[in-house]
Amino acid sequence: MTTIAKALAAAALLLAAGTPIYAETATQFLPIKNEAAPKLFVDQPLAGPLASRAVAIIPYRTENFRILPIFGASASDVSPRAGHLHVSIDGLPWRWADAGGTGAIVLTALPPGEHKVLIEMATPEHEVLGGKVVKFIVPVINSAHH
């Protein structure tokens, strides 16, 4: 490499090192203006555990929404946006909140047959922002294998 090329490379490196780079990505350290709409993605239950043990493991993920154990009016001001999930089964009048953010809802001891699970994103004040329904069939499992 020639002396001129070395000098130009060194100057470019120094110039780049001295130039601050500002990312336009979300961070938990700064509030986000005009946050994108939250999105919920829910998959069908994993086939293996459902067929072999009648356990419904339903994977999910969110975008522009963090699952955290925070509740109440003051938690609604958290940025980036955070909340929890509401989970309902088979249209029953009760539901539960999942604030663990594990990436999967796990259901055991469901009777054999068709089931419908509603998974909803909710604010810390329980306002529903959107949801997805998953339908699946729990097979009859031979109890001799348990």
Side-chain angles (χ1 to χ4, degrees), residues 2-24:
T2 67
T3 306
I4 294 174
K6 287 181 185 176
L8 288 174
L13 181 63
L14 288 172
L15 181 61
T19 304
I21 298 172
Y22 299 102
E24 294 292 326

Side-chain angles (χ1 to χ4, degrees), residues 22 36 50-51 67 103 109 116 127:
Y22 299 102
L50 189 60
I67 307 296
K116 180 174 79 172
E127 176 189 347

Side-chain angles (χ1 to χ4, degrees), residues 1-95:
M1 187 182 270
T2 67
T3 306
I4 294 174
K6 287 181 185 176
L8 288 174
L13 181 63
L14 288 172
L15 181 61
T19 304
I21 298 172
Y22 299 102
E24 294 292 326
T25 58
T27 174
Q28 66 266 22
F29 301 111
L30 300 171
I32 297 174
K33 295 179 182 175
N34 302 319
E35 288 185 64
K39 295 179 184 175
L40 174 65
F41 302 90
V42 179
D43 295 331
Q44 286 298 116
L46 300 179
L50 189 60
S52 64
R53 301 181 317 214
V55 173
I57 300 174
I58 305 170
Y60 71 84
R61 70 180 176 84
T62 61
E63 285 183 5
N64 310 313
F65 189 83
R66 297 175 300 150
I67 307 296
L68 296 173
I70 57 175
F71 298 92
S74 61
S76 292
D77 293 332
V78 170
S79 177
R81 185 183 296 109
H84 57 277
L85 299 177
H86 288 170
V87 182
S88 305
I89 300 175
D90 295 334
L92 294 170
W94 52 267
R95 63 181 177 209

